[in-house]
Amino acid sequence: MSLRIANQVRRGPAVTLSVDGQAVEAFAGESLAAALWAAGRRALRQSPRAGTPRGVFCMMGACQECLVRVDGQRALACQVAVYADMRVETGAAT
Ligand code: FES
């Protein structure tokens, strides 16, 4: 089941990302956090102390729970727009 709204929405062109080596379909211009959520990826890293899964929370760059690596650099998934061939690593941003 897709989590995206189907009607009356304009989107950028379809692009493919690599997320932990797996292809994920998204639309250029949407946030990486939204694309990962729509793809069913909820856990993006583990908390350093307890090792519990962490994922998107605020969606505005304040909580840093969505920290991932994009093309090798640390990035907040909610603050980055997706683009074709983006290479994303989850669980490796510390
Ligand atoms: S979800 Fe809070 S900083 Fe990205």
Side-chain angles (χ1 to χ4, degrees), residues 9-84:
V9 176
R10 278 194 235 163
R11 301 186 194 286
V15 295
T16 302
L17 326 175
S18 171
V19 180
D20 300 329
Q22 295 185 322
V24 169
E25 302 299 319
F27 295 95
E30 69 183 355
S31 77
L32 175 58
L36 293 173
W37 186 270
R41 291 183 164 263
R42 303 292 188 265
L44 302 181
R45 65 181 190 90
Q46 291 77 41
S47 67
R49 290 189 184 156
T52 53
R54 315 302 286 184
V56 296
F57 181 68
C58 72
M59 292 293 279
M60 61 182 195
C63 73
Q64 304 188 6
E65 296 290 5
C66 64
L67 191 62
V68 295
R69 284 195 183 271
V70 174
D71 295 333
Q73 302 295 313
R74 292 165 51 126
L76 295 175
C78 67
Q79 300 297 298
V80 176
V82 299
Y83 49 84

